[in-house]
Amino acid sequence: MRKWSNILYQTWYRSAAIVIFLLIWELLPRLGLVSKAYLSPPTEVIVAIQELISTGDLWVHVASSLQRSLSGLIIAITSGIVLGLILGWFKKFEAFIDPLLQLFRQISAFALFPVFILFLGIGEVSKSAIIFWAAFWPILLNTVSGVKHVDKLLIDSARSMGASQPYIFRKVIIPAAAPGIFTGIRLGGAYCITALVAAEMIGSASGLGFYILNSQEIFQIPHMYAGIILLAFLGLGLNYILALVESRFTKWKKGLVRDEAA
């Protein structure tokens, strides 16, 4: 009984802030403190989401957004991890190319959007490119940091037992750097959702970013907030999936934490 009461208390405690926020959001326009023309109550937003589901438009917009975000994110993950492992392991190469990378990473993905459009057109490729650029840098930098902070004792121990460089790289460096790599991937996932909105607001006919902007332009404010809420849930879902993948590949870390606690 105590276990269930503790679970219920924890559930309420963790959701209390969201409940309070929704109540304030509902009351502000209902009481006339904020005009409904600018802030639709959550109940009206839920009705707008239900309309999206009933018409089938929800799945069209979500599918378009998922396709664009995943295409850019997958390319960013692949290239960011590969280049990050190389830079973290080969210090001379990192010293040579790091100034150029530091210059590039200061350039906002949104500032480069006109360049992407010039070279790649206004279609899907340019949208994937801006998402890639936004997600690439946190993945790259966290991968480099993860490799650099691998415990030197682990590497020296493997070398003392006659392990080759490729073996150390595969069996020591990559697993030990995995927590840092996945931190970068989850940050990249968050950044790709942010970039997705900007990418879909230009030259798109579908996607949640397009839906938000289009609803604002035709003054369907509940639908605009519905798109924002759905985009937030899309980001939460993506982060949850990445967290599951991280837990799958870093099981050893949990065992290490338990050993240290004991």
Side-chain angles (χ1 to χ4, degrees):
M1 188 65 180
R2 181 180 294 179
K3 177 183 177 183
W4 284 107
S5 62
N6 187 49
I7 291 174
L8 288 173
Y9 173 77
Q10 291 294 331
T11 302
W12 162 249
Y13 188 78
R14 290 173 63 86
S15 59
I18 296 176
V19 172
I20 294 170
F21 169 74
L22 290 174
L23 285 173
I24 294 172
W25 181 5
E26 181 74 27
L27 288 173
L28 285 175
R30 294 290 182 191
L31 297 176
L33 299 174
V34 179
S35 173
K36 281 189 179 182
Y38 304 121
L39 185 66
S40 302
T43 48
E44 294 184 7
V45 174
I46 292 172
V47 172
I49 294 174
Q50 290 174 339
E51 289 179 12
L52 269 173
I53 295 172
S54 62
T55 58
D57 291 340
L58 173 64
W59 318 118
V60 174
H61 293 303
V62 170
S64 296
S65 293
L66 271 177
Q67 180 182 352
R68 291 172 184 135
S69 57
L70 288 179
S71 62
L73 181 61
I74 289 171
I75 297 172
I77 290 172
T78 305
S79 56
I81 291 176
V82 171
L83 183 57
L85 290 172
I86 293 172
L87 291 175
W89 186 246
F90 298 102
K91 292 180 173 55
K92 288 186 178 180
F93 181 59
E94 186 210 2
F96 170 73
I97 203 171
D98 184 65
L100 181 62
L101 293 177
Q102 293 299 328
L103 175 64
F104 279 164
R105 83 182 186 93
Q106 304 304 321
I107 304 175
S108 167
F110 308 121
L112 284 175
F113 202 25
V115 178
F116 291 143
I117 291 175
L118 283 173
F119 281 90
L120 304 174
I122 204 167
E124 296 300 318
V125 178
S126 61
K127 294 175 178 57
S128 296
I130 190 173
I131 293 168
F132 156 77
W133 188 269
F136 172 75
W137 296 105
I139 298 171
L140 173 68
L141 296 175
N142 278 275
T143 301
V144 173
S145 177
V147 174
K148 282 184 172 182
H149 287 87
V150 173
D151 192 343
K152 195 172 183 299
L153 182 61
L154 295 174
I155 301 173
D156 293 339
S157 298
R159 282 175 178 161
S160 67
M161 290 185 287
S164 63
Q165 289 288 89
Y167 182 90
I168 293 173
F169 191 76
R170 285 186 293 108
K171 299 295 184 178
V172 178
I173 300 297
I174 295 178
I181 293 172
F182 276 104
T183 298
I185 291 174
R186 292 176 68 178
L187 284 172
Y191 286 9
C192 90
I193 296 297
T194 304
L196 172 70
V197 179
E200 289 185 336
M201 284 183 174
I202 301 176
S204 294
S206 62
L208 292 174
F210 159 78
Y211 180 75
I212 293 168
L213 182 64
N214 186 62
S215 298
Q216 183 267 333
E217 288 176 345
I218 62 178
F219 218 69
Q220 290 186 340
I221 305 305
H223 290 264
M224 180 189 76
Y225 283 106
I228 294 170
I229 295 298
L230 290 169
L231 194 65
F233 277 111
L234 181 65
L236 283 173
L238 181 59
N239 183 70
Y240 179 73
I241 292 171
L242 292 175
L244 286 178
V245 175
E246 178 182 5
S247 65
R248 168 67 179 81
F249 284 94
T250 57
K251 286 182 178 179
W252 59 269
K253 187 181 177 184
K254 294 180 181 178
L256 184 61
V257 171
R258 283 196 296 267
D259 293 341
E260 289 176 351

